[in-house]
Amino acid sequence: AQKVTQAQTEISVVEKEDVTLDCVYETRDTTYYLFWYKQPPSGELVFLIRRNSFDEQNEISGRYSWNFQKSTSSFNFTITASQVVDSAVYFCALSEAQGSGGGADGLTFGKGTHLIIQP
Amino acid sequence: DAGVTQSPTHLIKTRGQQVTLRCSPKSGHDTVSWYQQALGQGPQFIFQYYEEEERQRGNFPDRFSGHQFPNYSSELNVNALLLGDSALYLCASSLRLAGVHSYEQYFGPGTRLTVT
């Protein structure tokens, strides 16, 4: 069975600090997909990134960066120079491929990390 | 380009009643997934619909059922409501391409269901 663990329930930092959100996953599949979503107080989940299991290249998008390490089953998310607008709950999620027909399984989410950026 | 839409926004029901929630996928998407998010928890996968059939199901009882229409929109039905069914119900749409695995799921704003 697949599982996603976000051990950090809540993180509070002062604006402009760097912050890393941890994500550890478990899966028996060799092909799987990892995601990060942001959920602001409005409640709507906002897609941030998708990473395929066969692509361990790290990615940077502006102030956001992601570190994928298969050896430790981790997919951590770093925000550089945090801003108050980054305050939200962040979810890491995992899905497995549904065979050769395309598509993927439903997402398995972690419990989320509540990130508070203080001005 | 319209995103995922859900209706209604909020709903209050009494224990034992039945409820229907609706979802329209993002333009161009053909797959709809439903999730339940209890307060302070991550979303939990209920089921996924593609080509008007339930393709995968999470660990939810048969009281939870769904439907997908030819225009790809979807409904989630919950019978015999329990207090524990109170949650935010999220719909997500995605595109399934033959031979290509997994595309990101885009979520709607959700329906807040309160069972009293």
Side-chain angles (χ1 to χ4, degrees):
Chain A
Q2 49 189 324
K3 182 180 179 182
V4 175
T5 302
Q6 295 181 256
Q8 304 152 310
T9 304
E10 183 174 290
I11 299 175
S12 181
V13 299
V14 178
E15 198 172 21
K16 297 184 183 178
E17 286 186 15
D18 298 348
V19 58
T20 296
L21 308 182
D22 297 334
C23 173
V24 174
Y25 63 91
E26 297 176 27
T27 178
R28 290 175 294 187
D29 273 20
T30 55
T31 301
Y32 53 89
Y33 307 88
L34 295 164
F35 304 80
W36 276 95
Y37 283 87
K38 174 182 180 179
Q39 189 173 42
S42 62
E44 188 165 341
L45 281 164
V46 177
F47 167 79
L48 295 178
I49 190 172
R50 168 177 62 94
R51 174 62 64 207
N52 306 333
S53 57
F54 44 85
D55 179 6
E56 285 194 72
Q57 189 173 16
N58 292 326
E59 183 158 338
I60 298 174
S61 176
R63 296 184 296 106
Y64 295 170
S65 63
W66 291 270
N67 182 8
F68 176 32
Q69 292 194 340
K70 287 179 75 171
S71 61
T72 56
S73 296
S74 65
F75 186 43
N76 297 336
F77 173 31
T78 297
I79 301 175
T80 303
S82 60
Q83 299 177 2
V84 173
V85 294
D86 296 327
S87 297
V89 180
Y90 290 85
F91 290 98
C92 180
L94 165 73
S95 76
E96 298 166 345
Q98 280 184 359
S100 59
D105 288 359
L107 297 169
T108 296
F109 284 84
K111 292 189 175 182
T113 297
H114 185 197
L115 178 62
I116 301 169
I117 310 298
Q118 300 179 21
Chain B
D1 183 18
V4 180
T5 60
Q6 292 186 243
S7 63
T9 306
H10 295 87
L11 205 52
I12 299 175
K13 289 287 188 178
T14 303
R15 190 171 42 184
Q17 287 188 317
Q18 178 265 344
V19 68
T20 297
L21 310 181
R22 295 177 176 81
C23 170
S24 290
K26 179 180 169 66
S27 178
H29 283 184
D30 57 8
T31 302
V32 173
S33 302
W34 285 93
Y35 295 81
Q36 179 195 66
Q37 185 178 20
L39 200 60
Q41 301 294 316
Q44 288 199 311
F45 174 68
I46 303 175
F47 42 53
Q48 182 181 88
Y49 276 83
Y50 171 67
E51 290 186 332
E52 302 180 46
E53 290 188 15
E54 183 181 297
R55 298 293 176 166
Q56 190 196 9
R57 190 179 184 91
N59 188 25
F60 279 80
D62 292 344
R63 298 187 298 109
F64 290 78
S65 62
H67 188 77
Q68 186 179 34
F69 299 94
N71 66 353
Y72 307 120
S73 66
S74 176
E75 287 182 350
L76 164 65
N77 301 294
V78 186
N79 295 322
L81 285 167
L82 304 174
L83 296 179
D85 294 332
S86 294
L88 180 67
Y89 287 84
L90 296 163
C91 168
S93 74
S94 56
L95 178 62
R96 178 188 298 250
L97 299 178
V100 179
H101 291 287
S102 184
Y103 277 71
E104 47 267 21
Q105 297 185 22
Y106 291 89
F107 284 80
T111 294
R112 173 73 62 187
L113 173 64
T114 302
V115 182
T116 62

